[in-house]
């Protein structure tokens, strides 16, 4: 049986420096009613819309590790760890796919943030 360290070291791993994260998870939702009158029929419609920016999609094939090597286009069962570089960080949003993942910055940040990523392929 493999120890935890041996199991981690037996997987492919990448360290990516200085990734700029500009996306924001859709945190604010506006609910509204609208009234529509067509001929003699009045209709009331209810809807809700997210007003924030959307999370940023990052494809593995678009990333380069700290040695300058391109990541593969597919990473099976990836784990993405985000390391902030200042007081404002970022986080992954939703499930991490085999080809991409979504990431969003702290909504309190005044603008895009820069983070480092550590990606490990856990495999089958």
């Amino acid at each position: 049986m493999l120890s935890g360290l041996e199991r981690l070291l037996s997987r492919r791993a990448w360290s990516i420096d200085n990734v700029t994260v500009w996306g924001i998870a859709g945190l604010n939702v506006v609910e509204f009613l609208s009234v529509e009158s067509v001929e003699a029929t009045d209709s009331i419609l209810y809807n809700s819309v997210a007003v924030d920016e959307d999370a940023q999609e990052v494809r593995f094939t678009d990333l380069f590790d700290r040695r300058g090597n391109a990541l593969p286009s597919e990473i099976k069962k990836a784990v993405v760890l985000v390391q902030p570089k200042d007081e404002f960080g970022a986080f992954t949003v939703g499930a991490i796919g085999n080809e991409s993942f979504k990431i969003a910055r702290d909504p309190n940040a005044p603008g895009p943030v820069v983070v480092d990523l550590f990606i490990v392929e856990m495999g089958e």
Side-chain angles (χ1 to χ4, degrees):
M1 180 173 208
L2 293 175
S3 72
L5 181 59
E6 289 172 330
R7 185 178 176 111
L8 180 62
L9 294 175
S10 69
R11 306 294 183 190
R12 295 191 299 173
W14 300 268
S15 179
I16 298 96
D17 293 335
N18 302 322
V19 176
T20 302
V21 181
W22 47 262
I24 298 177
L27 301 174
N28 295 328
V29 175
V30 174
E31 298 176 337
F32 63 92
L33 291 173
S34 62
V35 179
E36 180 180 74
S37 182
V38 178
E39 296 181 2
T41 306
D42 293 331
S43 301
I44 298 175
L45 306 167
Y46 167 80
N47 201 355
S48 63
V49 175
V51 294
D52 277 339
E53 298 175 34
D54 197 12
Q56 174 179 344
E57 184 169 1
V58 178
R59 303 188 60 76
F60 293 125
T61 191
D62 295 336
L63 296 174
F64 292 87
D65 68 9
R66 63 177 51 184
R67 295 179 182 159
N69 301 315
L71 271 64
S73 60
E74 182 177 74
I75 299 176
K76 294 184 190 238
K77 294 189 179 177
V79 174
V80 178
L81 302 173
V82 180
Q83 176 65 46
K85 293 183 116 10
D86 58 20
E87 71 269 17
F88 298 108
F91 53 92
T92 58
V93 178
I96 297 171
N98 289 338
E99 296 176 356
S100 66
F101 62 95
K102 287 192 173 190
I103 191 167
R105 66 179 168 90
D106 182 347
N108 296 322
V113 299
V114 178
V115 298
D116 293 339
L117 301 176
F118 184 64
I119 300 173
V120 179
E121 181 177 49
M122 299 309 289
E124 302 300 325

